[in-house]
Amino acid sequence: MVALAIGMIALAPLTAHAAPSRGHAYVWANQPSAPLNTPYTPSGYYSRNSTGAANSVVRTGTGQYTVRMPRLGLLGGTVHVTAYGATSHSCNVASWYPVGDRLDVHVRCFTPSGYRADTRFTASFVNTSSLGGRFGYVWADRPTAGSYTSASTYQFNSSGAANTITRGGVGQYTVRFPNIGSAAGHVQATAYGDVQARCKVANWYPSGSAQLVNVRCFTLSGALRDTRFTLTYTRGTSILRTAPAAYAWANQPTSGSYTPATAYQYNSAGYTNRITRHGVGVYRVWTPGMPLGYGDVQVTAYGSDSRHCKVDYWTPSTGIQVRCYTASGAPADTYYDVSFAR
């Protein structure tokens, strides 16, 4: 067996990469109508891979994309996706899995009417095993089950405990993160599958030592529906466990300008974030000290109705602009959660 192993090593190509590792990656997919099946490399300012490799994006059909993340080809982790731009389109993570030492993340994007649509989007991935702090994620993969423990490969809890999911009704779920409960922090949710659905955060709060996060999922027309989703909870770090980072819970949807609640906002540079409203459903999130000429932004709507939100753009001079809509695509004021990471 040793001789065979030595022989295999001798035959390995000089360009072979090390075994895939845990890590993180993100992209801004900024070429929505790229030629079919032709990979492109997103701007390095808005694309990162913790292994140092370059990510790429392939358009495989109308509203269908594959994000390729080299050297991160392990089973597990979690993914979030947010549609980008001034339209009312939305995007889901359809699936993710390793292809050799590469991780392929499949994304689907839709109009409010349910048609697949070419659009820009952001996507983030993390696979971690580092304990400590308050951080957890799940892939909720059994949408009609009453209560279950999410698949161990696709869940994480920084206390080492196992997370569980309970269905309270059609499209209504509670995710329980043991031992990391706090009346604080940040949540992101993304619908999963090649399905016409959106998911959002209804609320989150501590229950004893556990953190409970309630999720609502809807059809694109706004009716509650059972569907799979991904969910991340964090406190005092980004959804990728990286820095610099900032997040905020935007809980005053009709205020002209305000400071989000201290417990539900974070800025790794030590500054205070602010939010201004620039029209119905149009908001700017100011995150002083953050390098907004780079990085990744994820947005999820908050509340029990079917309104949804997305990132319009982000720049150092304008902050992060967020747009929110009714299910039918009309601009709408609503609560949301916004996250920046680099």
Side-chain angles (χ1 to χ4, degrees), residues 28-32 65 82-86 91 109 118-122:
W28 172 44
N30 65 330
Q31 297 183 33
Y65 305 91
T82 299
Y84 176 104
C91 297
C109 300
D118 292 334
T119 190
R120 292 172 287 182
F121 62 89
T122 62

Side-chain angles (χ1 to χ4, degrees), residues 91-111:
C91 297
N92 299 344
V93 53
S95 60
W96 73 94
Y97 48 80
V99 178
D101 76 344
R102 185 184 78 212
L103 188 76
D104 281 5
V105 176
H106 299 279
V107 175
R108 299 290 184 267
C109 300
F110 301 91
T111 68

Side-chain angles (χ1 to χ4, degrees), residues 77 106 173 183 192 202:
H106 299 279
Y173 306 95
Y192 175 98

